[in-house]
């Protein structure tokens, strides 16, 4: 059966193909230089870093997108916003989000836990999401309305019941969260006590891919970073994962809103009451 012209699998096929190719090419660059000497500098005052590898991988991806889709806007981790060439175009309403090296702090200390992330948003909605792991040479992709796929085929998120020993959860927080933030502290304390393990990988896109393929039970984020949220959340939702705000309401966070809208609980729909209950136990400390 021939797909309809508005079939999303056909509508964004070229974009997904480009994103996969660019992410894999950038990943090969990162992998080849992982053990090299390269420049590292501080990024802000919160301990984050940026390396030469971030910039080189980002330049590569930006160049590939600009060659193929010159009218589109790009929001890149290091370069910021890059408006498209709109000669002959009224603007596409499309924005590419690039995290060329999610896990820079890991790379700097020699920990091979990092990925490349690319998303295409139409308006505020993610249409394409790609995450590539250069270490294992695995790539995970999602198209809105068409499912999420990895090397083993379609991903369906966590498929098992929670262990009596507690769930295997992951945590992330945005760079703007202070070390003594009472809400973050209360959340982590409860999650540490009530979960079997609480992973903090310093690479949210790697964590989203783990959730989408069912390697972990849930993911909790507090004021998460904007650049990697669309690709990761699309992978998860297309794999059947449910994402809620911390108060249990529908999650409406995106790359353009304030970071206070990017706090979330993600997991299997059947597990959501349990996960929200964990978050709710921190309410007295000001979780919002």
């Amino acid at each position: 059966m021939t797909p309809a012209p508005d079939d999303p699998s056909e509508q964004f096929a070229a974009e997904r193909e480009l994103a996969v190719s660019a992410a894999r090419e950038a990943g090969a660059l990162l992998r080849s230089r992982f053990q090299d000497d390269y420049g590292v500098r501080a990024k802000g005052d919160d301990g984050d870093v940026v390396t030469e590898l971030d910039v080189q991988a980002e330049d590569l991806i930006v160049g590939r997108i600009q060659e193929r889709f010159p009218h589109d806007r790009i929001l890149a981790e290091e370069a910021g916003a890059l408006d498209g060439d709109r000669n002959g175009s009224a603007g596409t309403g499309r924005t590419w989000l690039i995290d060329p090296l999610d896990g820079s702090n890991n790379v700097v200390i020699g920990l091979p836990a990092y990925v490349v992330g690319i998303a295409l948003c139409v308006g505020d909605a993610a249409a394409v999401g790609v995450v590539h792991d250069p270490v294992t040479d695995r790539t995970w992709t999602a198209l809105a309305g068409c499912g999420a796929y990895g090397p083993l085929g379609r991903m369906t998120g966590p498929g098992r019941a929670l262990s009596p020993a507690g769930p295997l959860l992951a945590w992330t927080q945005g760079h703007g969260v202070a070390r003594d933030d009472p809400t973050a502290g209360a959340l982590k304390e409860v999650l540490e006590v009530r979960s079997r393990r609480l992973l903090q990988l310093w690479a949210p896109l790697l964590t989203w891919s783990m959730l989408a393929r069912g390697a972990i039970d849930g993911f909790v984020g507090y004021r998460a970073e904007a650049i990697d949220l669309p690709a990761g959340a699309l992978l998860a939702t297309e794999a059947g994962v449910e994402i809620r705000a911390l108060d249990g309401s529908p999650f409406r966070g995106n790359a353009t809103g304030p970071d206070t809208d990017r706090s979330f609980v993600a997991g299997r729909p059947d597990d959501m009451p349990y996960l929200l209950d964990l978050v709710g136990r921190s309410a007295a400390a000001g979780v919002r």
Side-chain angles (χ1 to χ4, degrees):
M1 178 177 179
T2 302
D6 59 351
D7 185 331
S9 65
E10 291 295 303
Q11 183 180 359
F12 295 107
E15 288 85 346
R16 178 169 61 176
E17 181 180 2
L18 172 70
V20 168
S21 174
R24 292 183 61 83
E25 190 175 355
L29 184 157
L30 296 173
R31 185 172 59 247
S32 70
R33 296 207 57 199
F34 177 74
Q35 299 185 69
D36 291 353
D37 291 328
Y38 45 79
V40 181
R41 60 179 172 81
K43 183 178 179 181
D45 300 323
D46 53 17
D48 197 18
V49 298
V50 60
T51 73
E52 286 181 15
L53 306 187
D54 293 77
V55 176
Q56 291 175 2
E58 182 174 285
D59 287 346
L60 187 158
I61 297 169
V62 168
R64 297 294 180 267
I65 294 173
Q66 289 179 330
E67 288 172 6
R68 181 65 180 82
F69 299 104
H71 301 314
D72 290 352
R73 183 173 181 266
I74 296 173
L75 182 59
E77 175 75 8
E78 309 307 334
L82 304 169
D83 289 333
D85 176 6
R86 295 184 177 176
N87 293 331
S89 171
T92 64
R94 300 170 17 137
T95 302
W96 293 85
L97 288 88
I98 302 169
D99 193 342
L101 176 47
D102 185 32
S104 300
N105 284 282
N106 293 338
V107 169
V108 167
I109 63 174
L111 181 65
Y114 61 95
V115 293
V116 180
I118 302 175
L120 172 65
C121 292
V122 180
D124 287 333
V128 178
V130 171
V131 177
H132 175 66
D133 181 355
V135 179
T136 61
D137 197 30
R138 291 180 295 177
T139 306
W140 303 281
T141 70
L143 285 178
C146 298
Y149 293 84
L152 300 179
R154 187 158 190 165
M155 298 187 292
T156 57
R160 60 186 178 274
L162 295 180
S163 166
L168 178 54
L169 302 178
W171 166 267
T172 189
Q173 65 186 53
H175 297 309
V177 178
R179 295 180 183 177
D180 61 353
D181 184 285
T183 301
L187 275 166
K188 286 192 286 186
E189 181 178 2
V190 169
L191 296 175
E192 286 274 13
V193 171
R194 297 296 300 275
S195 65
R196 179 160 45 102
R197 295 287 187 276
L198 183 64
L199 306 178
Q200 300 181 63
L201 298 182
W202 297 357
L205 283 169
L206 182 58
T207 308
W208 281 114
S209 72
M210 293 173 68
L211 182 62
R213 67 180 189 267
I216 59 176
D217 298 312
F219 190 17
V220 179
Y222 179 61
R223 294 171 54 191
E225 292 298 303
I227 198 75
D228 49 43
L229 180 63
L234 184 63
L235 274 184
T237 55
E238 287 297 321
V241 169
E242 185 175 358
I243 307 177
R244 296 281 194 94
L246 296 183
D247 64 2
S249 63
F251 179 68
R252 306 191 187 283
N254 55 55
T256 60
D259 67 358
T260 50
D261 289 344
R262 294 196 296 272
S263 297
F264 62 83
V265 180
R268 193 174 68 148
D270 287 350
D271 298 334
M272 192 54 62
Y274 178 88
L275 297 175
L276 288 171
D277 179 67
L278 291 187
V279 172
R281 291 173 184 269
S282 301
V287 172
R288 56 192 182 275

